[in-house]
C-alpha cells in the first residue's frame, strides 16, 4: 500500500543522505521525496511517498525514527489528510486551434499559464498526482516538451499539527 | 583560556574518563597527536593497522563496558578502519572514532588523502559528524559519546578537518546533553509489562531466549534472577553467552545454527518465548516460516526497530532490558504469583532431559590426533572457566562457544554479527588492557590469525600478555565444512597452503611459540602457557583437519531439522537453502 510519511528533521547537511541511504540499504522504495526548511530554519520537513506491506511500513517508520536527525514523523495516510504536488510543464502550442485548446484545459484543471512564446505555453498546476497525470493525458503526452514535478507534499486535516 | 581544537579533543576525552586510545597517526590528524604528546593521562596504543585499532577498542569496550576510542588519519586511515567500525556496528558496541580530515577549504577537491569519511561510514555507524567550526567541537564530542553509549549502543565517528584541530576557542565542556531528536526509551510500558507477566506465568512450555542486549544492557543479574524465580529453561545466543551462567542446570546451551539440540528443540516446541535483548537473527531462527510455530512471544528490547523486524510478537516491550526485567520481577514478587501450569512444566522438563540425553555436543575422541573440541574443553579446565576468551571467525569460534562454559558476562568476545576474521587478536589486546588481572585467550584458526598477525608487535610494545590458541586444521575450516556438505567436497580455495612456522613467527615478534601435535600434550602445554603470566604465548595446535562443527541446522532448515554428529549423513540442504548464506 502507498504511504505518505511526513518527517521533521534537523536541517543539517547529511540528514537527507541518511534518509536516502536508509531506503537504498534496506531495499525500501521511495516514489517521491520533497524537502525544504520549515518556519523554524533549524528544521526541515520532508515528505516521502513509499509503498510496502504493513510490516515493511512499520519497519520504515521505526528505522526513520532511529535516525538521530529525525525529530518527529507521521504517516499521513493513517489519518485524513491533504496531499498536493506542483508541476511545471512546457507544452507545444502552435496555431490558434491548439493554443485555444491548451488554454481551455488549463482552465478546466485550474492551472496557470506562467510563460508564453509563439510556439509554447508553460503551465503551473497543483493537485494530487492523479490530477497532474490527468492533465498530461488530456493535453496529450506527445505535446509535452518538458515536465518537472515536485513530488508529493502533504498535511493532516484538522487542528493536529506535526511540530516539535 | 583558549585551546586549540586538538587540545579540546584531549580534554574532552579526559572528561569522558577515557584511559586508552587506539590509533595510528598521519598528516591530517597530527595536531591531535601533538596534543597527546603533551599529556600523560590518556595512553595511546599504537597499533600496526587501523583495522586493529577498531577491533582493539571494540574488545576493550566489550570487556569493560566503557566506550572504545579510536584515532586515525584521513583517507586510508579511515578506509582501513571501516571493517572494524562495521564489526562494532553489527554487534552494537559503543565506540567513538576520531578521524582526521583534510582542511575544510580543501574538502571536495580530491585533496591528498581525502575521502568522504562521513559518507563511507554512514551505513555502518550509529551516527557521524563532520566538525565545521571549532566552536562546535566540544559539544559534538559530547554528543558522540552520549549517542555511542546510550540506547542501543554503537559506533559514532567524528571527522576532524585539520584546520579545526588547529583553530582556537574557549573550552567549555557540556556536562549534560539533551537532543530533541534523540532520547531512547528506557522504561518499559507498565501495561505491556503486566500483560507479559500474565502470559509468562501461564506458560506450559516456556523458553527464555537471551541475546547480547542483556550483556550490553548490564542485565545478567536480572535475567538470572527472573529465570530462577520462574524455574524456566534458558538459552543464550552467540552474543548472549555469559548473560546467564552456562553451568546452571536451567541453561540448555546456545541456540541457533550450531546450538545444542535441546536449545533448538525448546525454541521449536515452546508455547511461550521470552526474548530478552535478542534480535531474531537468521543464524538463530533458521527458516523463518518454520520458526517456533506454537510460540506466543514476549520481546524486550531497547531498539523498537528490532521488534517485529523478522518475527511478529505478541507482547513487545521497548525499554532497557534491566529496567523492564526489574519491573517484571517486582510485579511477580508483589503479587506473590508463580507459574501456574506446574504439571505441564514438569512434563516440559522431562522432555528437555530426553533431548539433553542425546548429548548433541559429544564427539569422537582420539588418542592420536588432536580434536579441536578437546582443546576447548582443556582450555576451559585449565583456566577454570575464568578467562576472557576472544575468537576469530570460523569453526574454532563455534567450538569455543560450545565447549567453553561462560558463567559471567563480558567474558566471551566475538564478532557475531559481521563475522569478521581478524577480530580475535586485536580484540584480545583490548580486553587485556581493560582487564589486566584476568587471563585472556584468543581462540583462532590459521586462516583468521593471519589477517591481523602484525598486532603481535603491538602486543609486545604494550605488554598485553595473551594466550593465542590456534586450532590449526590447515583449512579455512568453516568454508571447507560447507563445501563438504553443500558442494560435494569441492574444496575451492579453502586449503591453507604455505603456512608459516608459527613458533618461529611468535619468537620473531618476541613472544613464546609452542607447537602441539599430540592429544596427550594439550593440557600440559596450556598449563605451561598460562603459567607464563607476563608473556604472550602462541600455541599452535595441529588438529584433525576435517573435523566438522555439530550440531548444525543447514541454511533454510528449521530448529527441529538439526544434523547431529555421527547420526546424520551429510546431506545437501534444500535448493531454497542454497541461496541463503
Ligand atoms: C574477513 C573475512 N573474510 C572471509 C570470511 C568468510 N569465512 C568465514 S569462516 C572462514 C574460514 C576461517 O578459517 P580459519 O580462521 O582457519 O578457522 P577455522 O574455520 O578453520 O576454524 C572464512 C574464510 C570472513 N568471515 N571474514
Amino acid at each position: 500500500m502507498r504511504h505518505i510519511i511526513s518527517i521533521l528533521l534537523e536541517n543539517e547537511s547529511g540528514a537527507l543522505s541518511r534518509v536516502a541511504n536508509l531506503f537504498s540499504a534496506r531495499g525500501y522504495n521511495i516514489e517521491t521525496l520533497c524537502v525544504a526548511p520549515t518556519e523554524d530554519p533549524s528544521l526541515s520537513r520532508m515528505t516521502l511517498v513509499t509503498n510496502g506491506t504493513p510490516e515493511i511500513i512499520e519497519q520504515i517508520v521505526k528505522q526513520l525514527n532511529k535516525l538521530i536527525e529525525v525529530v518527529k514523523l507521521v504517516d499521513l495516510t493513517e489519518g485524513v489528510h491533504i496531499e498536493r504536488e506542483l508541476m511545471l510543464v512546457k507544452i507545444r502550442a502552435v496555431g490558434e486551434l491548439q493554443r485555444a485548446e491548451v488554454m481551455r484545459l488549463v482552465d478546466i484543471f485550474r492551472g496557470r499559464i506562467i510563460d508564453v512564446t509563439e510556439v509554447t505555453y508553460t503551465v503551473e498546476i497543483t493537485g494530487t498526482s492523479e490530477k497532474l497525470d490527468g492533465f498530461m493525458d488530456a493535453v496529450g503526452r506527445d505535446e509535452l516538451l518538458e515536465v518537472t514535478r515536485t513530488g508529493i507534499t502533504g498535511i493532516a486535516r484538522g487542528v493536529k499539527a506535526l511540530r516539535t | 583560556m583558549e585551546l586549540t581544537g586538538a587540545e579540546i579533543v584531549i580534554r574532552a576525552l579526559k572528561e569522558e574518563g577515557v584511559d586508552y586510545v587506539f590509533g595510528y597517526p598521519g598528516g591530517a590528524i597530527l595536531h591531535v597527536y601533538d596534543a597527546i604528546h603533551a599529556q600523560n593521562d590518556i595512553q595511546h596504543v599504537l597499533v600496526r593497522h587501523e583495522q586493529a585499532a577498531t577491533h582493539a577498542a571494540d574488545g576493550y569496550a566489550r570487556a569493560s563496558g566503557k566506550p572504545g576510542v579510536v584515532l586515525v588519519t584521513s583517507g586510508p586511515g579511515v578506509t582501513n578502519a571501516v571493517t572494524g567500525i562495521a564489526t562494532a556496528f553489527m554487534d552494537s558496541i559503543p565506540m567513538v572514532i576520531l578521524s582526521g580530515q583534510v582542511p575544510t577549504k580543501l574538502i571536495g577537491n580530491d585533496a591528498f588523502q581525502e575521502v568522504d569519511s562521513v559518507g563511507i561510514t554512514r551505513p555502518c555507524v550509529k551516527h557521524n559528524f563532520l566538525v565545521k567550526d571549532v566552536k562546535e567541537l566540544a559539544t559534538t564530542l559530547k554528543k558522540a559519546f552520549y549517542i555511542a553509549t546510550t540506547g542501543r549502543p554503537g559506533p559514532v565517528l567524528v571527522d576532524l578537518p585539520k584546520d579545526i584541530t588547529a583553530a582556537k576557542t574557549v573550552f567549555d565542556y557540556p556536562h549534560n546533553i539533551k537532543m530533541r531528536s534523540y532520547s531512547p526509551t528506557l522504561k518499559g510500558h507498565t501495561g505491556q509489562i503486566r500483560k507479559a507477566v500474565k502470559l509468562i506465568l501461564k506458560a506450559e512450555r516456556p523458553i527464555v531466549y537471551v541475546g547480547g542486549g542483556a550483556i550490553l544492557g548490564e542485565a545478567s543479574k536480572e535475567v538470572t534472577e527472573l529465570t530462577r524465580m520462574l524455574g524456566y529453561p534458558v538459552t543464550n545466543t552467540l552474543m548472549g553467552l555469559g548473560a546467564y551462567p552456562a553451568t546452571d542446570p536451567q541453561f540448555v546451551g546456545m541456540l541457533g545454527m550450531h546450538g545444542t539440540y535441546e536449545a533448538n528443540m525448546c525454541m521449536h516446541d515452546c508455547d511461550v518465548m521470552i526474548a530478552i535483548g535478542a534480535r531474531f537473527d537468521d543464524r538463530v531462527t533458521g527458516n523463518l516460516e518454520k520458526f517456533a510455530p506454537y510460540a506466543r512471544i514476549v520481546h524486550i528490547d531497547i531498539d523498537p526497530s528490532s521488534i517485529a523486524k523478522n518475527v511478529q510478537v505478541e507482547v513487545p516491550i521497548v525499554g532497557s532490558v534491566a529496567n523492564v526485567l526489574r519491573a517484571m520481577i517486582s510485579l511477580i514478587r508483589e503479587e506473590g504469583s508463580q507459574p501456574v501450569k506446574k504439571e505441564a512444566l514438569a512434563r516440559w522438563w522431562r522432555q528437555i532431559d530426553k533431548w539433553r540425553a542425546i548429548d548433541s555436543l559429544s564427539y569422537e575422541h582420539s588418542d592420536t590426533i588432536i580434536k579441536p573440541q578437546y582443546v576447548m574443553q582443556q582450555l576451559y579446565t585449565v583456566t577454570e572457566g575464568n578467562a576472557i576468551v576472544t575468537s576469530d571467525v570460523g569453526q574454532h569460534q563455534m567450538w569455543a562457544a560450545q565447549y567453553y562454559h561462560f558463567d559471567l558476562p563480558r567474558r566471551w568476545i566475538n564478532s557475531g554479527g559481521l563475522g569478521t576474521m581478524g577480530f580475535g587478536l586485536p580484540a584480545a589486546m583490548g580486553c587485556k588492557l581493560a582487564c589486566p588481572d584476568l587471563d585472556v585467550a584468543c581462540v583462532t584458526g590459521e586462516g583468521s590469525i593471519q589477517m591481523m598477525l602484525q598486532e603481535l608487535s603491538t602486543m609486545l610494545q604494550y605488554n598485553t600478555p595473551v594466550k593465542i590458541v590456534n586450532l590449526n586444521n590447515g583449512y579455512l575450516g568453516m568454508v571447507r565444512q560447507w563445501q563438504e556438505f553443500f558442494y560435494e567436497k569441492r574444496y575451492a580455495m579453502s586449503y591453507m597452503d604455505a603456512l608459516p612456522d608459527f613458533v618461529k613467527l611468535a619468537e620473531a615478534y618476541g613472544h613464546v611459540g609452542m607447537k602441539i601435535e599430540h592429544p596427550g600434550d594439550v593440557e600440559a602445554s596450556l598449563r605451561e602457557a598460562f603459567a607464563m603470566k607476563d608473556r604472550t604465548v602462541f600455541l599452535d595446535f595441529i588438529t584433525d583437519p576435517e573435523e566438522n562443527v555439530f550440531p548444525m541446522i543447514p541454511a533454510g532448515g528449521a530448529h527441529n531439522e538439526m544434523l547431529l554428529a555421527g547420526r546424520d549423513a551429510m546431506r545437501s540442504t534444500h535448493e531454497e537453502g542454497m541461496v541463503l548464506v
Side-chain angles (χ1 to χ4, degrees):
Chain A
M1 232 207 32
R2 175 173 172 274
H3 287 253
I4 304 172
I5 298 173
S6 201
I7 308 164
L8 275 182
L9 73 171
E10 299 289 351
N11 185 8
E12 281 167 9
S13 69
L16 172 62
S17 42
R18 247 179 260 282
V19 173
N21 212 96
L22 167 67
F23 275 73
S24 70
R26 294 189 182 267
Y28 305 141
N29 296 315
I30 299 184
E31 278 179 15
T32 72
L33 181 70
C34 157
V35 54
T38 62
E39 78 287 357
D40 170 355
S42 72
L43 284 173
S44 291
R45 169 115 174 198
M46 177 185 278
T47 312
L48 198 150
V49 178
T50 182
N51 56 51
T53 60
E55 294 77 39
I56 291 189
I57 300 297
E58 181 183 339
Q59 264 301 306
I60 289 177
V61 167
K62 285 175 169 177
Q63 293 291 348
L64 281 169
N65 263 318
K66 204 164 132 179
L67 295 179
I68 305 291
E69 279 133 342
V70 168
V71 182
K72 246 186 189 166
L73 66 82
V74 62
D75 181 348
L76 288 177
T77 25
E78 277 183 352
V80 200
H81 65 279
I82 302 159
E83 56 176 278
R84 289 290 180 271
E85 185 174 4
L86 165 68
M87 172 166 75
L88 302 179
V89 52
K90 200 169 281 184
I91 303 165
R92 190 194 323 274
V94 189
E96 240 165 74
L97 221 87
Q98 196 188 8
R99 289 176 84 84
E101 174 64 7
V102 171
M103 279 179 76
R104 199 175 64 84
L105 288 172
V106 169
D107 212 35
I108 292 172
F109 280 85
R110 293 198 210 134
R112 285 201 306 150
I113 295 175
I114 53 175
D115 189 41
V116 179
T117 72
E118 278 168 16
V119 288
T120 61
Y121 281 140
T122 300
V123 174
E124 166 196 324
I125 176 165
T126 56
T128 61
S129 303
E130 295 78 50
K131 174 178 159 186
L132 305 190
D133 291 341
F135 178 75
M136 291 196 290
D137 288 338
V139 172
R141 304 252 167 180
D142 291 344
E143 308 306 320
L144 306 176
L145 300 173
E146 185 180 347
V147 175
T148 174
R149 299 168 65 149
T150 56
I152 296 283
T153 185
I155 200 159
R157 279 194 189 274
V159 288
K160 252 177 106 180
L162 179 65
R163 47 186 305 134
T164 53
Chain B
M1 199 186 74
E2 294 209 322
L3 300 182
T4 66
E7 289 163 343
I8 289 174
V9 168
I10 300 304
R11 288 283 295 274
L13 295 182
K14 282 185 200 170
E15 293 280 346
E16 294 295 335
V18 173
D19 41 14
Y20 288 103
V21 170
F22 301 86
Y24 208 89
I29 196 72
L30 278 186
H31 295 320
V32 177
Y33 272 86
D34 202 43
I36 285 187
H37 191 70
Q39 56 85 51
N40 288 317
D41 298 334
I42 297 169
Q43 198 186 345
H44 179 278
V45 177
L46 176 68
V47 292
R48 303 302 189 251
H49 186 296
E50 288 87 349
Q51 184 183 336
T54 51
H55 291 329
D58 183 326
Y60 174 89
R62 292 184 204 230
S64 68
K66 288 165 58 176
V69 180
V70 176
L71 187 63
V72 292
T73 194
S74 65
V78 170
T79 53
N80 270 351
V82 166
T83 300
I85 298 173
T87 303
F89 180 64
M90 285 296 276
D91 289 344
S92 308
I93 304 304
M95 181 185 288
V96 173
I97 306 100
L98 307 170
S99 54
Q101 182 54 282
V102 303
T104 31
K105 263 202 229 117
L106 290 183
I107 289 179
N109 282 354
D110 302 320
F112 177 63
Q113 294 196 325
E114 178 186 0
V115 293
D116 174 8
S117 304
V118 164
I120 281 185
T121 57
R122 188 176 293 127
C124 61
V125 292
K126 183 169 174 187
H127 197 57
N128 57 19
F129 298 95
L130 169 65
V131 183
K132 288 186 190 150
D133 181 348
V134 70
K135 292 199 185 68
E136 286 167 10
L137 179 57
T139 312
T140 305
L141 291 167
K142 179 75 201 177
K143 280 185 189 169
F145 277 92
Y146 172 60
I147 293 170
T149 54
T150 52
R152 179 177 180 172
V156 177
L157 178 133
V158 183
D159 207 20
L160 302 167
K162 195 164 182 182
D163 54 322
I164 301 295
T165 49
K168 286 188 164 186
T169 191
V170 178
F171 178 66
D172 183 12
Y173 201 67
H175 286 283
N176 278 306
I177 199 114
K178 239 185 107 83
M179 294 171 71
R180 63 179 170 185
S181 61
Y182 174 73
S183 62
T185 309
L186 299 178
K187 252 189 92 224
H189 187 278
T190 326
Q192 290 294 88
I193 290 174
R194 267 184 193 285
K195 217 166 127 191
V197 166
K198 231 171 123 185
L199 177 62
I200 291 168
L201 293 177
K202 277 194 326 213
E204 300 191 352
R205 301 185 310 280
I207 180 76
V208 182
Y209 150 47
V210 185
I215 292 175
L216 295 165
E218 304 288 1
S220 316
K221 205 180 113 243
E222 289 78 4
V223 166
T224 310
E225 191 176 340
L226 179 70
T227 308
R228 289 207 174 128
M229 231 167 137
L230 295 167
Y232 290 174
V234 50
T235 176
N236 289 340
T237 67
L238 181 66
M239 293 308 298
L241 293 177
Y244 187 90
T247 52
D248 185 278
Q250 277 170 253
F251 187 63
V252 294
M254 179 173 79
L255 80 164
M257 184 173 269
H258 295 296
T260 63
Y261 190 72
E262 51 273 32
N264 285 332
M265 290 306 290
C266 280
M267 290 294 280
H268 186 269
D269 283 5
C270 70
D271 71 337
V272 172
M273 183 186 296
I274 307 147
I276 303 172
R279 62 187 178 89
F280 296 85
D281 157 89
D282 54 275
R283 284 292 189 270
V284 156
T285 61
N287 187 336
L288 273 179
E289 270 154 39
K290 299 183 196 164
F291 175 74
Y294 321 106
R296 299 173 71 181
I297 304 175
V298 174
H299 188 184
I300 309 166
D301 205 291
I302 198 155
D303 176 6
S305 74
S306 271
I307 296 177
K309 183 173 67 180
N310 302 331
V311 170
Q312 292 303 313
V313 302
E314 185 166 325
V315 190
I317 308 174
V318 176
S320 104
V321 280
N323 276 346
V324 173
L325 293 179
R326 269 197 295 273
M328 285 183 161
I329 291 166
S330 357
L331 189 65
I332 295 175
R333 253 214 203 104
E334 275 161 30
E335 298 186 341
S337 40
Q338 282 181 1
V340 286
K341 303 288 169 85
K342 299 265 188 262
E343 241 171 72
L345 289 167
R347 226 177 305 132
W348 181 230
W349 273 114
R350 281 197 298 277
Q351 174 63 63
I352 292 170
D353 286 337
K354 278 187 207 149
W355 289 329
R356 275 179 167 161
I358 287 174
D359 194 8
S360 63
L361 292 179
S362 66
Y363 61 94
E364 226 173 283
H365 291 261
S366 165
D367 293 334
T368 49
I369 191 159
I370 299 176
K371 291 284 180 177
Q373 300 95 325
Y374 177 69
V375 181
M376 291 300 98
Q377 288 175 322
Q378 289 305 315
L379 177 66
Y380 177 68
T381 309
V382 167
T383 57
E384 293 168 356
N386 284 323
I388 292 183
V389 179
T390 75
S391 95
D392 271 304
V393 175
Q395 292 181 313
H396 60 270
Q397 175 188 26
M398 293 301 123
W399 285 317
Q402 289 174 331
Y403 296 95
Y404 200 102
H405 308 299
F406 295 93
D407 280 340
L408 291 171
R410 302 195 181 281
R411 293 287 169 90
W412 166 240
I413 312 285
N414 84 129
S415 165
L418 197 67
T420 310
M421 289 171 68
F423 173 82
L425 190 64
M429 172 167 64
C431 290
K432 190 68 193 177
L433 290 170
C435 306
D437 298 333
L438 289 177
D439 281 329
V440 179
C442 165
V443 175
T444 184
E446 76 296 335
S448 294
I449 192 69
Q450 292 190 81
M451 288 210 175
M452 281 284 125
L453 201 48
Q454 76 287 345
E455 295 312 313
L456 286 173
S457 170
T458 316
M459 293 165 75
L460 185 72
Q461 182 174 346
Y462 296 92
N463 186 27
T464 55
V466 163
K467 309 301 174 252
I468 299 159
V469 179
N470 188 35
L471 299 181
N472 187 344
N473 52 10
Y475 279 111
L476 297 175
M478 190 56 98
V479 171
R480 189 207 55 74
Q481 177 169 346
W482 281 52
Q483 289 171 332
E484 177 183 334
F485 288 10
F486 313 129
Y487 296 87
E488 296 167 334
K489 297 199 178 186
R490 291 186 298 277
Y491 293 162
M493 310 307 145
S494 54
Y495 186 63
M496 271 276 140
D497 218 346
L499 285 173
D501 179 335
F502 286 112
V503 173
K504 279 192 192 151
L505 194 78
E507 287 167 1
Y509 275 107
H511 302 303
V512 180
M514 292 160 88
K515 183 170 178 170
I516 306 97
E517 294 177 271
H518 302 291
D521 299 335
V522 170
E523 187 185 341
S525 62
L526 282 166
R527 289 207 185 277
E528 192 186 338
F530 278 95
M532 290 184 251
K533 287 279 171 211
D534 54 351
R535 298 300 296 275
T536 287
V537 183
F538 194 116
L539 295 118
D540 188 21
F541 290 97
I542 309 303
T543 60
D544 189 347
E546 300 208 8
E547 188 66 32
N548 287 318
V549 182
F550 281 113
M552 177 173 189
I553 304 174
H559 279 151
N560 59 351
E561 295 173 350
M562 255 166 297
L563 305 180
L564 293 178
R567 186 192 78 175
D568 294 297
M570 302 322 137
R571 55 181 146 92
S572 289
T573 178
H574 4 116
E575 253 171 58
E576 225 180 301
M578 287 298 282
V579 301
L580 299 172
V581 284

